[in-house]
Amino acid sequence: MAVTLDSAFPARKRRPLVVGSFESPKLSDAKLTRSLFLASHEISSMQPLRFILRRNSLSLIRKVKILASVFDELLLRSQLLLYSQSAQLCFEEMQIVMQRIKSLIDDCSRVSKLWLLLQIDIVAFNFHELVTDLSTVLDILPVHEFDLSDDAQDLISLLRNQCSDSVQFVDARDDALRRKVTETIAGIKHQISPDHSSLIEIFNDLGFTDSASLTDEIQRLEDEIQDQIDDRSKSAAASLIGLVRYSKCVLYGPSTPAPDFRRHQSLSDANIPADFRCPITLELMRDPVVVSTGQTYDRESIDLWIQSGHNTCPKTGQVLKHTSLIPNRALKNLIVLWCRDQKIPFELYGDGGGEPAPCKEAVEFTKMMVSFLIEKLSLADSNGVVFELRALAKSDTVARACIAEAGAIPKLVRYLATECPSLQINAVTTILNLSILEQNKTRIMETEGALNGVIEVLRSGATWEAKANAAATLFSLAGVSAYRRRLGRKARVVSGLVDLAKQGPTSSKRDALVAILNLVAERENVGRFVEAGVMEAAGDAFQELPEEAVAVVEAVVRRGGLMAVSAAFSLIRHLGEVMREGADTTRESAAATLVTMCRKGGSELVAEMAAIPGIERVIWEMIGAGTARGGRKAASLMRYLRRWAAGDTHDTAAETQSIVVPTPSRIFSPVL
């Protein structure tokens, strides 16, 4: 069905475009008069809405201007007057009306113009309701108490008449424009392409005259989707986004990024709060769920953990009483709000608040836009086209599916080897965005040259950003267990990720370490990473990225046997420092790593740990004030230290074989 306004849109997460509730502060007579004087002048100086509801906003602002003239005179007399209770109440009510007027005009000026156009009946009613409320206050206002001049009294009388004669109205021009938009969207549902001249007319009437203004409108509509709490409204906003995206490309052509283009704020650049990271992947949780032990994980990660045959909680090691996953909606809402504050796209999925079922209009707009862009890929100026595909693939699941189904992946592969840095970044990032969709992972892995192209960008990309996004692509592909093994067998993947973790800037190192963390989840991959120098890379990253570095060391030591313990020997002091100064999750991980090393290593390893200044105090602090898991791991470390101090080299939890392992400075035997 076409997007209409048969009924009011439901409530939204943020303040809606409706008259809200406000409270008037309790002020003295003089301060209340001054407050009303300032409020009336502030509203009087506001610009009326330019393209939609202009008459409504202009009429209301003019009425307040008349009132401002009255308050000019009242302010001069406020020190001499003592208001009656009825006058005080009237002014308090008027203060509330003023707040509501300012809020409504502010909201209308900031919101998406297309969204405002669809809600024009509701918003027009809100303007009229405010005029009615103002009229009510004026009718009961005891004007005779204020000893106003004849001119001021005439102004109040004029304003009363204007307010009482006011009727709700929608400008005929606005109504006609709304019909054009809804008819265009309705036509798309039946696969009728919008008329080019009609699109120009619609967007000119709305004040959109270039690609940049349409890009801003898309951002506002994306904010609207986040603000809506029901699928109907989300679908309506999605249809509008499809219309604007398609029109932006058709009317103004693909956007070519400037030579110094930089990616928008991304997860690689953001300082993600520790509580928002999944303990398994250290990535931002998209769909946090709680397991039977009370720990929270990202649904995709813990699902994969359980499907791999594990029956324990990854963080605590406790056996799971059941495998039911309970959505952590409170945490999810906090993550969404944080992402919006950071200007980071957040794709909702999974149980309890995912993407709504895509409406047909939005799907058809996306298909038309993808078809338009794919046809343009053969042109000389392909960078702008690839950039548009990159932005579209970043937007939602429907777009990712449409782009892949249209055969874009083989066409993108040839741009991975380009000498143009911007084009290479756009191409590899588009493939990264496409890989988020599960079925696209298979398409990428099976497309000739795609995987090798991404690997080559990882190893010798033109920029650090291209290399980092190639690493992120490998991380995404490694979400499938079979592909994780396949990627881990490729020496170029292993060496490329380790080299990036050693040499790249901080954001690139993070992408590399997170990809490594995913790949070493397969035990058979661990040895290859150890041989490639992953421990050295992690050690170099301890200062910049302690959480990622410690997580990698823990995963490698846990799955890598004595060879991994030997490689990690030089990091013992680093782990001790993290236990002293790191965040709770990082301290837990460091303690767990040391426990594993003590169990698998030997007395020389425990001696090295005992030589860390103040280590016993750090361990006692973790036992007394750390998290539950951290306390248990710290207690285990204390037992190892006491046995070593007592000369007891036997540990019932140790491995049963004595294997001599070389270290950078010595040879030590495991504790039996």
Side-chain angles (χ1 to χ4, degrees), residues 27-68:
L27 302 174
S28 65
D29 292 350
K31 288 184 177 179
L32 182 55
T33 304
R34 179 168 181 78
S35 177
L36 285 166
F37 166 82
L38 294 173
S40 62
H41 278 273
E42 184 178 6
I43 294 171
S44 299
S45 65
M46 296 178 75
Q47 293 297 315
L49 303 176
R50 292 186 58 195
F51 301 101
I52 307 169
L53 295 161
R54 179 174 176 82
R55 284 182 58 197
N56 306 69
S57 59
L58 184 58
S59 174
L60 190 53
I61 290 172
R62 283 173 175 169
K63 290 177 174 61
V64 176
K65 281 184 178 179
I66 296 174
L67 201 56

Side-chain angles (χ1 to χ4, degrees), residues 274 542-543 545-547 550 574-591 618 621-622 625-627:
F542 260 85
Q543 292 298 320
L545 302 164
E547 290 187 22
V550 172
H574 286 304
L575 293 168
E577 287 301 315
V578 170
M579 284 179 59
R580 187 193 313 275
E581 301 175 354
D584 284 346
T585 54
T586 313
R587 296 173 71 196
E588 285 180 17
S589 188
V618 172
E621 287 177 353
M622 283 192 67
T627 61

Side-chain angles (χ1 to χ4, degrees), residues 291-457:
V291 297
S292 63
T293 60
Q295 300 296 327
T296 298
Y297 301 92
D298 195 32
R299 182 184 295 275
E300 185 178 5
S301 301
I302 194 63
D303 269 341
L304 183 61
W305 173 267
I306 293 171
Q307 291 167 11
S308 300
H310 299 94
N311 67 341
T312 58
C313 173
K315 192 171 181 180
T316 66
Q318 295 173 271
V319 175
L320 297 173
K321 296 179 181 178
H322 56 77
T323 57
S324 298
L325 304 176
I326 303 171
N328 191 336
R329 290 187 174 88
L331 179 58
K332 187 172 188 176
N333 289 337
L334 291 174
I335 293 173
V336 171
L337 292 174
W338 178 83
C339 284
R340 290 183 59 195
D341 289 341
Q342 299 293 318
K343 303 298 183 184
I344 295 172
F346 183 88
E347 182 180 346
L348 298 169
Y349 59 85
D351 179 57
E355 288 182 358
C359 61
K360 187 170 182 180
E361 297 93 332
V363 174
E364 291 301 326
F365 270 125
T366 301
K367 287 181 178 179
M368 289 170 54
M369 182 176 175
V370 169
S371 177
F372 175 82
L373 291 172
I374 295 297
E375 289 177 5
K376 298 287 185 182
L377 264 181
S378 58
L379 300 178
D381 184 21
S382 54
N383 193 22
V385 179
V386 177
F387 175 71
E388 289 290 353
L389 287 171
R390 166 185 175 174
L392 187 59
K394 183 180 180 179
S395 62
D396 55 49
T397 297
V398 171
R400 295 180 193 111
C402 290
I403 293 171
E405 290 167 2
I409 295 174
K411 297 179 182 294
L412 290 168
V413 168
R414 65 173 178 261
Y415 298 117
L416 295 176
T418 181
E419 294 182 358
C420 173
S422 177
L423 180 55
Q424 184 183 69
I425 291 171
N426 288 328
V428 73
T429 309
T430 305
I431 293 175
L432 165 62
N433 293 338
L434 293 175
S435 72
I436 296 172
L437 188 62
E438 199 67 21
Q439 57 262 38
N440 284 351
K441 297 184 196 299
T442 300
R443 287 192 176 104
I444 294 169
M445 293 294 287
E446 294 180 353
T447 297
E448 183 178 358
L451 179 59
N452 285 335
V454 172
I455 295 172
E456 195 56 36
V457 173

Side-chain angles (χ1 to χ4, degrees), residues 535-596:
M535 289 302 189
E536 179 184 348
D540 293 342
F542 260 85
Q543 292 298 320
E544 296 174 90
L545 302 164
E547 290 187 22
E548 291 82 355
V550 172
V552 167
V553 174
E554 180 188 4
V556 171
V557 167
R558 187 168 66 246
R559 300 183 181 96
L562 289 169
M563 180 178 68
V565 173
S566 173
F569 188 88
S570 61
L571 303 181
I572 292 175
R573 291 181 178 270
H574 286 304
L575 293 168
E577 287 301 315
V578 170
M579 284 179 59
R580 187 193 313 275
E581 301 175 354
D584 284 346
T585 54
T586 313
R587 296 173 71 196
E588 285 180 17
S589 188
T593 304
L594 287 173
V595 169
T596 303

Side-chain angles (χ1 to χ4, degrees), residues 562 599-601 654-661 669-672:
L562 289 169
R599 188 177 71 247
K600 293 182 177 181
E655 294 184 354
T656 56
Q657 298 185 47
S658 176
I659 304 176
V660 177
V661 183
S669 300
V671 178
L672 299 180

Side-chain angles (χ1 to χ4, degrees), residues 587-649:
R587 296 173 71 196
E588 285 180 17
S589 188
T593 304
L594 287 173
V595 169
T596 303
M597 293 175 71
C598 287
R599 188 177 71 247
K600 293 182 177 181
S603 57
E604 291 282 343
L605 191 148
V606 181
E608 185 73 12
M609 182 177 67
I612 299 174
I615 188 63
E616 288 198 18
R617 180 177 178 179
V618 172
I619 291 173
W620 278 118
E621 287 177 353
M622 283 192 67
I623 293 173
T627 61
R629 182 190 182 225
R632 288 194 300 274
K633 297 300 181 182
S636 296
L637 289 177
M638 184 58 71
R639 286 195 296 272
Y640 281 114
L641 286 175
R642 286 183 172 178
R643 288 170 181 162
W644 171 82
D648 182 0
T649 59

Side-chain angles (χ1 to χ4, degrees), residues 14-26 43 89 91-107 110 126 129-130 133:
R14 63 173 167 83
R15 187 177 67 207
L17 287 171
V18 296
V19 179
S21 60
F22 294 87
E23 293 184 2
S24 177
K26 298 298 181 182
I43 294 171
L89 290 174
F91 280 166
E92 288 177 356
E93 287 299 316
M94 193 173 289
Q95 176 81 354
I96 294 173
V97 173
M98 293 289 187
Q99 291 175 356
R100 293 160 66 195
I101 290 172
K102 182 178 183 300
S103 296
L104 181 58
I105 296 175
D106 276 343
D107 280 354
R110 289 196 301 263
N126 293 334
E129 187 178 40
L130 286 169
D133 291 345

